[in-house]
Structure formats: structure tokens, C-alpha cells
Amino acid sequence: MKVNNNHYALIMAGGVGSRFWPMSTSQFPKQFHDVMGSGYTLIQKTFNRLKNVVPSHQIYILTNERYIDLVAEQLPEINLDQIISEPAMRNTAPCILYAALKIKKINPKASLIVAPSDHWIEDEDAFASDIAIAFNKADDQKSLITLGIRPSFPNTGYGYIQYSMDENGPVFPVLQFTEKPDYETAKKFIEAKNYVWNAGIFVWSVQAICNAFEKYQPTMNSLFMNGWNALNTSEEKKFIDINYKESENISIDYAILEPSNSVCLIEASFDWNDLGSWGSLYDKLDKDEDQNVVINATSMLQNASGNMIRTSKDKLVVVDGLKDYIVVDKEDVLLIFPKEKDQDIKKILINGSLHFIILNKNNKLTVLKTNNEIQL
């Protein structure tokens, strides 16, 4: 694919990945880990994939201030001015507006792909082909394009996008967004054939997204536009440090995509896994004859099935009589947790602190506050 000098990318790399604790911590989140054992961390894989669709010097990394050094270490080919840091966590809308304005000031004709840093995509040719279609549509400077994933089962942990099938595609008008439906609703969505999972991958021109913020989030837009003259100058950090925390804590979906009537969808032709939890990693990796996944460890397993086991390299793990559990051994933390409750792992961490937990005989999670909290 021939890259276009008006095309840019923004990698979203500021999350903590709390559902991947204890491997992922606030000091070293999952995007900086080689989760799949591929030889590359997730952010490295994302950067390399995006280099196929935009010039590498036009790939920006949006991250929290505390991760600047990690980004620079893992992506040595980028310049420091390609790292956009947020001084406070305010969800995805403020940081996307901030980055879009910076890029718009550099190139008003720019179109931008926004992609998470921690998703797994293997078919990179199909990815490049879909993004080419999206960029072609985004270059009209009117449309906001989102990529959707054809559901393989009624997952209740994903958002869903309904689109109109009245047009032939490959770009379809979006009708509505639904955030994490219950199981019965998710089953109906799949039966309807015109619902897809929200992958959190977006393509739009900087003009279109900035116009949308001006229309649907005027207060936030004014806040950042007050610093227009400071953007991409030595005065930018001072302005952002003072003003960024004043922006509303809101996602791009709620802030812009849901109220907008200019959102279009492309159904992805590539494979996709958001690697949002230990369970999703389990689904992706090769399994033994008893459906166990073992990473790094040397294992002796008896009467054990459906388990996800990860330890430090070459540690001997002996398991007998365990079924459908997550076992993660990391330095001074040992996690043994029901796989079906992997979404609850993030509840162990409250305000960034570790709390003791109890799983009672009914497999119900109880979180106990402690006097001596341990910072991760």
C-alpha cells in the first residue's frame, strides 16, 4: 500500500489494563508487555502495523506522562515530539481532541486513524486494505468512520454498533451505539445481522473531528482552542498542564459518535482480539489436549482442564484438580481466580491500590479494604 503524506495515526497508549493484573500494573501496563510471546510488545506490534498505512514519522503516541520513557524505550525510531502526553486521565474525548488540534495545525488536510495500542491483529494485509477504504472515505472531510467486528458470539463485554443495510457498502451509515448489553439483548443483536462489535478504531479527517467537537462539545472545544497558539511550541506543555484537567471526563463515543449523524461503519475483514482480559488471551492462544494454556512455565498438570497459567520463565508449576482457573505468578503476587469471572479482576484494584479479596463458597467476589494498602 502506498502511504499518503496527508495520513496520520494516533496510538492510544495511556490505559492501565487493570483486568490483566498482576502482569499489568499502573507502573507497567499491558501495552508494554509481550503478552502473546511474539517477541514484540503490543505497542510495538501496533506501531509496526500502522507503518504500513501511514508514514512512520506521522504516527503519534498518546500516553500518560508516567509512560513517556517506556514509549521512547520501546519505540526508539520515533522522535520525542511524536509522544503526546496527558497530565491527567480524562478518558478518550479530551486526548483525541488535543491530538487532532496538534495535527491540524501541522497539516489542515490531514486524515487520522485512531487505534488502541493493545489489540491483536494478525492479518495485517486485510487491515491495511480496510484502512485504505476508510481513509478514502475520510478524505471527504465530512465523515467519521468507525470499524466494526462481526460478532462470533453474544459477548456482553463489548459495545455494539447497529448499521443500516440499505446501502451496498463497504461503508454503511451507523444507526446507533449500544454499550455492553445483557446476554439476551446481545443474542438478538447477532440474530439481526446488522450489529457489530465496537473495535475502538476510528478514521476521520482532522477537519471533520474538530468540527464535531465544536458542534457537540463546545465547552471542551473552547478550552483547547484557547491554547491554539501554544500548540506545537515551547508554550504547549504549560498550557496543557494548567487546562487539561479542566476538561470533562468523557469517552469519544459518548461525546461525539453517539450524537453525530455523520458516523459511518466499515465491517472489518481482518481478525481481531482486544486482549481485554486473561480470558480473551486464553481464547487466542494454543491449548494442550485438556484445553490448558501455559505461558513460560514448565508444567505438571493432572485432572486439570481449561486453565490459563502464566509464570516467570521456566518455573515449575504443579496443578492437580483445577478446572477453568486463571493462575498468574508474578514476583510477590500469586493470582488464582475463576476464569469465568475474569472481568472482576479489576475490582481487586481500588484507586490503584491492592486489597485483600475473598471468594466465598458461592464463588462471589468480596473485596476487603485494608489499613496497609500496597501500591502497585
Side-chain angles (χ1 to χ4, degrees), residues 211-224:
N211 287 347
F213 270 99
E214 185 176 0
K215 180 177 181 179
Y216 299 110
Q217 296 293 325
T219 301
M220 187 185 300
N221 185 68
S222 295
L223 176 68
F224 283 93

Side-chain angles (χ1 to χ4, degrees), residues 20-28 33 278 296 310-313 315 317 327-335 354 374-376:
F20 259 101
W21 183 83
M23 180 194 71
S24 180
T25 68
S26 58
Q27 281 71 43
F28 204 90
H33 289 268
W278 287 109
N296 293 333
R310 189 184 197 276
T311 73
S312 57
K313 193 169 181 61
K315 176 172 284 190
V317 176
V327 180
V328 181
D329 182 30
K330 179 179 180 288
E331 298 169 354
D332 59 347
V333 177
L334 173 63
L335 174 75
L354 176 64
I374 304 171
Q375 287 298 122
L376 295 178

Side-chain angles (χ1 to χ4, degrees), residues 138-375:
D139 286 342
D140 67 9
Q141 299 196 357
K142 297 178 182 179
S143 303
L144 307 175
I145 298 98
T146 181
L147 273 72
I149 308 298
R150 174 58 50 187
S152 55
F153 66 101
N155 192 311
T156 59
Y158 295 152
Y160 285 71
I161 305 171
Q162 182 189 24
Y163 63 93
S164 171
M165 301 176 70
D166 294 339
E167 299 185 17
N168 293 327
V171 183
F172 301 93
V174 166
L175 297 177
Q176 69 172 349
F177 292 80
T178 302
E179 184 65 18
K180 298 180 180 178
D182 59 35
Y183 182 77
E184 291 302 320
T185 302
K187 283 177 60 178
K188 292 178 182 177
F189 286 172
I190 291 180
E191 293 168 0
K193 306 295 187 183
N194 66 330
Y195 284 82
V196 292
W197 289 335
N198 187 349
I201 302 173
F202 312 110
V203 180
W204 42 52
S205 70
V206 291
Q207 186 63 53
I209 192 61
C210 290
N211 287 347
F213 270 99
E214 185 176 0
K215 180 177 181 179
Y216 299 110
Q217 296 293 325
T219 301
M220 187 185 300
N221 185 68
S222 295
L223 176 68
F224 283 93
M225 283 300 296
N226 287 338
W228 175 261
N229 292 333
L231 294 178
N232 304 326
T233 75
S234 59
E235 297 298 311
E236 178 181 319
K237 187 177 188 315
K238 179 180 178 181
F239 171 82
I240 291 298
D241 284 348
I242 294 173
N243 292 278
Y244 193 90
K245 62 180 179 293
E246 302 302 322
S247 58
E248 184 180 357
N249 187 345
I250 186 172
S251 72
I252 191 69
D253 301 77
Y254 287 130
I256 300 298
L257 299 180
E258 291 193 10
S260 175
N261 58 6
S262 300
V263 184
C264 300
L265 178 131
I266 296 173
E267 186 175 323
S269 63
F270 52 85
D271 60 296
W272 174 87
N273 192 310
D274 76 334
L275 296 181
S277 65
W278 287 109
S280 62
L281 179 59
Y282 170 86
D283 292 339
K284 190 67 180 173
L285 293 176
D286 293 335
K287 301 165 184 63
D288 66 16
E289 60 184 9
D290 294 313
Q291 298 301 299
N292 296 298
V293 170
V294 180
I295 302 176
N296 293 333
T298 300
S299 60
M300 295 178 60
L301 309 179
Q302 294 187 9
N303 302 315
S305 62
N307 298 301
M308 170 81 204
I309 300 170
R310 189 184 197 276
T311 73
S312 57
K313 193 169 181 61
D314 298 328
K315 176 172 284 190
L316 176 62
V317 176
V318 181
V319 174
D320 191 344
L322 197 64
K323 181 179 180 180
D324 296 331
Y325 265 74
I326 298 164
V327 180
V328 181
D329 182 30
K330 179 179 180 288
E331 298 169 354
D332 59 347
V333 177
L334 173 63
L335 174 75
I336 304 173
F337 211 86
K339 196 172 65 190
E340 67 178 2
K341 297 176 70 67
D342 67 343
Q343 298 292 325
D344 287 335
I345 289 177
K346 63 183 179 181
K347 295 180 182 179
I348 301 170
L349 304 179
I350 302 175
N351 297 324
S353 298
L354 176 64
H355 288 57
F356 290 115
I357 63 167
I358 293 175
L359 282 170
N360 66 23
K361 63 182 180 181
N362 295 320
N363 211 25
K364 182 178 180 181
L365 178 67
T366 302
V367 180
L368 302 179
K369 293 184 178 181
T370 67
N371 293 326
N372 299 313
E373 296 180 349
I374 304 171
Q375 287 298 122

Side-chain angles (χ1 to χ4, degrees), residues 6-8 103-104 107-112 204-207:
N6 286 333
H7 292 169
Y8 292 72
I103 294 170
K104 181 181 178 181
N107 182 355
K109 297 181 179 180
S111 288
L112 174 68
W204 42 52
S205 70
V206 291
Q207 186 63 53

